[in-house]
Structures are given as C-alpha cells and as structure tokens.
Amino acid sequence: GAQPTDTVRGLLKKGGVLHVATDHAGYAEWIDELVDVEPSLDYKGWPWPDCPQLVDRQVITKFEGKGLDKEHVITEYLWEKK
C-alpha cells in the first residue's frame, strides 16, 4: 500500500525540505526510528543551520500552541530531497 513517504517523494523537488514537528512524545519516538527509511530523503536532524528555508519561525500553529500551553516538548525534524 501507499506510504506517507510516497506522497512526499512525489511532491518535493530536489533540494526541497520536509519539516516535521510534534509535541507527542510517542510520535517523536516513532519518527526517531524512521528518520532514514526513505532513500530519497537525506535526514538533516534539528537544527540544520544551513537549511534553505526559515526555521526560526515566529508563527505558532493552533496545535503547537496547545502543546506549548501544556508544557509539552516540541520535537522537530528536517529532511532534504536528494
């Protein structure tokens, strides 16, 4: 069946960045196990100082704000399309 990475692989152009953030500890642990599973994506970790996009962002999403209000840790990940 189709995997979420199939969609990402099709949408991102070479050099494109996938940025994932979560305040759910279990989800972060799951992502930690899968950071290298997609061969077309190069895992850059967090932070990635040379990231070609703004990652020191000022906009907080509604969901991120709820997590921060509950003092959840936000875990972020960055990949670059090869």
Side-chain angles (χ1 to χ4, degrees):
Q3 298 296 315
T5 55
D6 295 339
T7 301
V8 171
R9 184 182 327 110
L11 293 175
L12 281 179
K13 296 178 182 177
K14 183 177 180 176
V17 174
L18 171 62
H19 181 190
V20 174
T22 183
D23 72 326
H24 189 285
Y27 187 43
E29 290 174 11
W30 178 73
I31 295 170
D32 287 341
E33 296 175 7
L34 300 173
V35 295
D36 294 319
V37 73
E38 173 52 54
S40 71
L41 298 175
D42 183 21
Y43 179 60
K44 298 296 189 174
W46 181 269
W48 173 23
D50 296 328
C51 185
Q53 70 174 20
L54 177 64
V55 292
D56 183 20
R57 57 197 165 77
Q58 301 299 314
V59 176
I60 303 294
T61 67
K62 178 175 82 172
F63 293 106
E64 189 174 9
K66 287 180 180 182
L68 291 170
D69 288 345
K70 295 176 184 175
E71 298 184 2
H72 291 182
V73 173
I74 307 296
T75 305
E76 300 194 53
Y77 303 86
L78 292 166
W79 291 265
E80 182 180 28
K81 176 77 179 279
K82 295 179 183 175

